[in-house]
Amino acid sequence: MSAAVPILEVRDLKMHFSVGGSVLDRIAFGKGGIRLETPVVHAVNGVSFAINRGEIMALVGESGCGKSTVAKTIARIHKPTEGEIRVDGEDIAQYGFAKMLPVRSRMQMIFQDPYASLNPRQKVRDIVAEPLLQQTRTAAERKGVPARIEQLLAKVGLSVEHGGRYPHQFSGGQRQRIGIARALSVMPDLIIADEPVSALDVSIQAQILNLMMDLRDEFGLAYLFISHDLSVVHHIADTVGVMYLGFLVETAPRDALFSRPRHPYTRALLSAAPSIKERRAEDEISLGGEVPSALSLPSGCCFRTRCPLAWERCARERPRLADVGGGQKVACHLVDEPERDTA
């Protein structure tokens, strides 16, 4: 496979969930009379991006914006409603269990909660070995698994003795190291990390982030890193994607996004983030209202109901993610009519 092909490319990814409810909840009125409709949660709505080998891309946004759903859909925990998920150029979006098995060796996941993502009835050596044993086919390969487990534990800062213990005997940071060792066991090219440090103390967060960056440098790993913490993202990411209501509203190299955000929602996120630096009054952006329901998306721009710069065009036309130079892409009509941008 050519080195120019991204390790991961997502094209127009959509993930919608049908939800239950009583008959009364499903009644809809229209010109044709009364009909029953199945409510649909529009969790992810046409997301597209690419990650190159050795690159760390972060997805950020408020809780419920769809970033974790993107991660789980790419990992094929969910089967996408529409769109393509290309791993090394191979579209895996509609693969069944059998076809996904060899793909798992190229793509692994680190979960948010280190207390819930490890089997409490398995010893650490068995937890780390499980994905490796799924991928080995010969007796000779299986014979080498114990030595491989020792290497992996050492790589994430744990000892051989730790392999004989159970998850409840470890701290949160140590459990996340076990999760990282498990993800590394099949030597993947891409790791999907869904809020991997949010459940940890700040001092432990730094250790895990530095470990992940060291492993990236050593093995050439690519990461899709999901987070709501902008300080964590600023520390680890090469590129950043900002999500709102299931849409990708801005992507940019990390430094460009933090120094010159272009989308009003990105500006609001950065404005709300804690900082020791003094901010100018014009940099402060206050958002009113509530995030609209994913059951009924607003017309036009997904952000217009809370945007201080919205105007008539925003209600009738959904902006596309457009290249504005310097590696930045923005889904905002201000790109076309910058004279309206008075923020």
Side-chain angles (χ1 to χ4, degrees):
M1 189 64 63
S2 170
V5 175
I7 183 61
L8 174 69
E9 186 176 9
V10 177
R11 299 179 182 176
D12 198 28
L13 184 67
K14 297 179 182 179
M15 189 64 241
H16 300 162
F17 299 97
S18 298
V19 294
S22 67
V23 173
L24 291 177
D25 292 333
R26 297 170 58 195
I27 291 177
F29 299 90
K31 294 181 179 180
I34 299 175
R35 65 184 185 277
L36 293 179
E37 291 185 346
T38 301
V40 174
V41 176
H42 300 82
V44 180
N45 303 295
V47 167
S48 300
F49 61 86
I51 303 176
N52 296 315
R53 295 179 183 280
E55 181 183 11
I56 300 177
M57 179 176 180
L59 285 183
V60 302
E62 296 171 281
S63 295
C65 72
K67 56 188 186 295
S68 287
T69 304
V70 168
K72 291 175 182 177
T73 305
I74 291 171
R76 285 302 318 277
I77 294 174
H78 304 311
K79 185 177 181 179
T81 304
E82 292 182 29
E84 298 179 7
I85 303 167
R86 294 189 170 272
V87 178
D88 269 341
E90 177 185 357
D91 185 9
I92 66 167
Q94 302 304 317
Y95 277 12
F97 178 82
K99 290 192 74 174
M100 274 301 300
L101 189 59
V103 180
R104 302 283 182 202
S105 65
R106 291 142 58 190
M107 179 175 63
Q108 287 286 297
M109 192 161 184
I110 300 171
F111 296 92
Q112 176 178 359
D113 187 354
Y115 295 92
S117 61
L118 304 178
N119 188 335
R121 299 186 179 186
Q122 283 186 311
K123 292 182 178 180
V124 167
R125 67 167 69 95
D126 299 319
I127 291 171
V128 176
E130 189 167 11
L132 193 58
L133 292 172
Q134 287 289 330
Q135 298 292 334
T136 55
R137 292 291 176 266
T138 67
E141 289 175 337
R142 289 177 177 267
K143 189 175 180 179
V145 167
R148 176 66 180 153
I149 293 170
E150 290 184 14
Q151 294 171 357
L152 288 165
L153 292 177
K155 190 64 66 179
V156 299
L158 298 173
S159 67
V160 177
E161 289 74 21
H162 287 140
R165 300 179 187 175
Y166 291 92
H168 74 270
Q169 297 176 281
F170 295 89
S171 67
Q174 287 175 316
R175 293 189 197 196
Q176 202 59 296
R177 289 173 185 268
I178 296 167
I180 293 172
R182 176 175 61 186
L184 283 174
S185 64
V186 291
M187 294 301 293
D189 298 311
L190 170 70
I191 289 181
I192 301 168
D194 185 10
E195 300 268 15
V197 297
S198 63
L200 306 178
D201 293 339
V202 174
S203 60
I204 306 302
Q205 285 185 8
Q207 295 177 21
I208 298 300
L209 292 173
N210 289 334
L211 171 62
M212 293 177 69
M213 294 174 73
D214 289 343
L215 293 171
R216 186 270 299 266
D217 295 339
E218 182 174 354
F219 297 110
L221 295 172
Y223 288 98
L224 175 60
F225 190 94
I226 310 300
S227 182
H228 65 275
D229 190 329
L230 291 174
S231 63
V232 167
V233 169
H234 191 271
H235 179 70
I236 197 171
D238 298 310
T239 59
V240 183
V242 181
M243 290 192 66
Y244 182 83
L245 201 61
F247 294 88
L248 200 57
V249 298
E250 182 166 2
T251 63
R254 176 196 59 196
D255 293 340
L257 184 124
F258 279 88
S259 64
R260 191 168 182 261
R262 299 293 298 274
H263 196 280
Y265 178 63
T266 309
R267 297 178 193 171
L269 277 184
L270 295 175
S271 174
S275 175
I276 60 173
K277 296 181 180 179
E278 185 177 354
R279 290 193 176 102
R280 300 172 300 174
E282 57 266 31
D283 292 332
E284 298 288 341
I285 297 179
S286 179
L287 298 181
E290 299 291 333
V291 178
S293 171
L295 285 167
S296 181
L297 298 176
S299 63
C301 175
C302 62
F303 185 58
R304 68 172 178 82
T305 59
R306 301 176 71 199
C307 181
L309 303 173
W311 80 98
E312 179 270 338
R313 183 184 178 189
C314 301
R316 60 179 168 82
E317 181 182 341
R318 197 176 302 283
R320 62 184 181 85
L321 197 65
D323 194 334
V324 295
Q328 282 184 280
K329 294 182 179 180
V330 185
C332 182
H333 294 311
L334 295 176
V335 173
D336 303 323
E337 301 187 48
E339 67 276 2
R340 289 185 174 270
D341 187 356
T342 58

